[in-house]
Amino acid sequence: MASKTQSRRDDLRTKLIELGEAEIIEHGLPALKARDLAAKAGCSVGAIYNAFPDLHHLALAINGRTFRRLGAQVAGAVEPLAEAPACERLVAMGLAYLDFASQNTAAWRALFEIDMAVGEDIPGWYMVALEALFDHIRRPVAELRPDLCAEDVEFLVRGLFSSIHGIVWLGLQKRISAVPRPELSRMITLILSEIGQ
Amino acid sequence: MASKTQSRRDDLRTKLIELGEAEIIEHGLPALKARDLAAKAGCSVGAIYNAFPDLHHLALAINGRTFRRLGAQVAGAVEPLAEAPACERLVAMGLAYLDFASQNTAAWRALFEIDMAVGEDIPGWYMVALEALFDHIRRPVAELRPDLCAEDVEFLVRGLFSSIHGIVWLGLQKRISAVPRPELSRMITLILSEIGQ
């Protein structure tokens, strides 16, 4: 019996993640409401809080899926380039990040809009996914800057992630700072081509 | 008489900019409300709309002041370094940006939270302030990369601004991506030191 209950709960979790993701894509993260989700999932509000401790954890689970899709897209862009120069691999990853953000803008924005303070209970799988993403960047950076100590390689890796994120974030906003896609690609290529030259 | 009315309106504008800025600093951009401002300024709601066409224009005026203060701080950091290598000047500007954002976080965030779509009526003075900021970055970049065509220099300038912005934005958030100040400085220094090396 316990395993049947468990399996029913797992099904509901999956359903809620899918419905919640659709909601985020259509209306953004603040639109995630237990009552609406319950109506769409055909369950009680109580059942939602049986599947997840709170909506924050549902949002984390949705972001987790987005994060893994992002990681797979970045990895997929760099894998065929195993023999290519490190600089080319970095550029391919930067452009894959731009592609993912352009194609999944709402879900990608939600990754950064969720309140996720240091020290709060961040799921272990989240940290693993984050580390895997940084790992892809770390390899070419370490190759390009063998003169840097491990600590500075780490700063450069995280700094480069934030840099490309900043270019994509400002570039995709409908603002005066917004720039057309080909120009964003060129910016990313120029910045990443500076590393270790 | 007309000039007296004008001068009274100018005084109210200045007062509203100061009160609005305090409101943004304390509660963020969405907290800007005509009724509250009128109560604090001791004027009618109608008087606010006599001083500014709408709250959006008041927010623009507040951001304009922040933007000019930011520009002055960046310019002030680079002016004593007129004879220094271009790379050193770039780093000084990046660190001045980090300082400004750390010391004026709420007002600085409001610069990027305001809805300012391309094609809407962006005041001329705003574009002038933006251009002045980019101009400071353009000079050392052009020196460091004399091989680049003017268009690519422009992409690199805007890309570098977005990069440093991305590092500061993610770094100052209370998130797992947040990093201590000295580490942020090091990241900015490392990224900017790559240019033209």
Side-chain angles (χ1 to χ4, degrees):
Chain A
M1 282 306 284
S3 80
K4 206 167 174 187
T5 309
Q6 180 62 41
S7 136
R8 226 183 284 132
R9 183 157 51 201
D10 285 350
D11 288 350
L12 182 59
R13 282 175 63 95
T14 307
K15 197 172 185 179
L16 289 171
I17 289 174
E18 277 163 13
L19 288 168
E21 187 176 46
E23 193 66 20
I24 286 176
I25 288 171
E26 204 163 347
H27 302 292
L29 191 62
L32 215 59
K33 300 266 184 281
R35 197 175 292 271
D36 299 348
L37 283 171
K40 283 180 183 151
C43 72
S44 68
V45 169
I48 292 183
Y49 293 112
N50 200 17
F52 292 98
D54 50 38
L55 283 189
H56 177 69
H57 279 79
L58 170 57
L60 275 180
I62 295 167
N63 277 355
R65 191 158 76 164
T66 306
F67 209 160
R68 278 184 289 249
R69 284 198 294 132
L70 166 63
Q73 190 154 325
V74 168
V78 80
E79 264 154 25
L81 299 174
E83 309 298 320
C87 170
E88 206 173 299
R89 281 180 279 143
L90 263 188
V91 170
M93 282 190 275
L95 297 179
Y97 189 79
L98 171 61
D99 282 343
F100 185 87
S102 308
Q103 291 153 6
N104 308 274
T105 307
W108 166 73
R109 279 193 185 280
L111 288 180
F112 298 91
E113 280 163 5
I114 197 170
D115 189 29
M116 201 155 59
V118 193
E120 280 179 23
D121 71 307
I122 294 157
W125 54 258
Y126 201 98
M127 296 311 291
V128 171
L130 188 68
E131 213 31 60
L133 186 60
F134 283 149
D135 212 48
H136 284 299
I137 313 174
R138 195 177 292 118
R139 264 170 273 141
V141 168
E143 263 178 66
L144 286 165
R145 296 297 310 268
D147 56 310
L148 289 183
C149 66
E151 197 186 31
D152 275 352
V153 165
E154 212 48 44
F155 286 145
L156 193 50
V157 165
R158 282 157 198 267
L160 283 175
F161 172 76
S162 298
S163 294
I164 301 312
H165 176 76
I167 293 174
V168 174
W169 187 273
L170 288 181
L172 293 184
Q173 275 184 313
K174 285 189 185 59
R175 293 172 51 89
I176 47 162
S177 50
V179 275
R181 265 300 284 291
E183 306 197 349
L184 278 183
S185 303
R186 184 75 189 141
M187 259 183 219
I188 291 172
T189 305
L190 279 167
I191 297 275
L192 292 175
S193 302
E194 296 283 337
I195 308 306
Q197 297 306 301
Chain B
M1 280 307 283
S3 80
K4 206 165 175 186
T5 309
Q6 180 62 42
S7 136
R8 226 183 283 132
R9 183 155 54 197
D10 284 351
D11 287 351
L12 182 59
R13 283 175 63 96
T14 307
K15 197 171 185 181
L16 289 171
I17 289 174
E18 278 163 13
L19 288 168
E21 188 175 46
E23 193 67 19
I24 287 176
I25 288 170
E26 202 162 348
H27 302 290
L29 191 61
L32 215 58
K33 301 267 186 277
R35 198 175 293 271
D36 298 349
L37 283 171
K40 282 179 185 151
C43 71
S44 67
V45 169
I48 291 184
Y49 293 113
N50 200 17
F52 291 98
D54 50 38
L55 283 188
H56 177 67
H57 279 80
L58 169 59
L60 276 179
I62 295 166
N63 276 355
R65 191 157 77 164
T66 306
F67 210 160
R68 278 184 290 250
R69 284 198 295 131
L70 165 63
Q73 191 153 326
V74 169
V78 80
E79 264 154 26
L81 299 173
E83 309 297 319
C87 170
E88 206 173 300
R89 280 179 279 144
L90 263 189
V91 170
M93 282 190 273
L95 297 179
Y97 189 78
L98 171 61
D99 283 342
F100 186 86
S102 308
Q103 292 152 6
N104 308 273
T105 307
W108 166 73
R109 278 194 186 280
L111 288 180
F112 298 91
E113 279 164 5
I114 196 169
D115 188 29
M116 202 156 58
V118 193
E120 280 179 23
D121 70 309
I122 295 156
W125 55 258
Y126 202 98
M127 297 310 292
V128 170
L130 187 68
E131 213 32 60
L133 186 60
F134 283 148
D135 212 47
H136 284 299
I137 312 173
R138 195 177 293 119
R139 264 170 273 140
V141 169
E143 262 178 67
L144 286 165
R145 294 298 309 270
D147 55 309
L148 290 183
C149 66
E151 199 187 29
D152 275 352
V153 166
E154 212 49 43
F155 286 145
L156 193 50
V157 166
R158 281 158 199 267
L160 283 175
F161 171 76
S162 299
S163 294
I164 301 312
H165 175 76
I167 293 174
V168 175
W169 187 273
L170 289 181
L172 293 185
Q173 275 184 311
K174 285 188 185 59
R175 293 171 53 89
I176 48 163
S177 50
V179 274
R181 264 301 284 292
E183 306 198 348
L184 279 183
S185 302
R186 184 74 189 140
M187 259 183 220
I188 291 172
T189 304
L190 278 166
I191 297 273
L192 291 176
S193 302
E194 296 283 339
I195 309 305
Q197 296 307 300

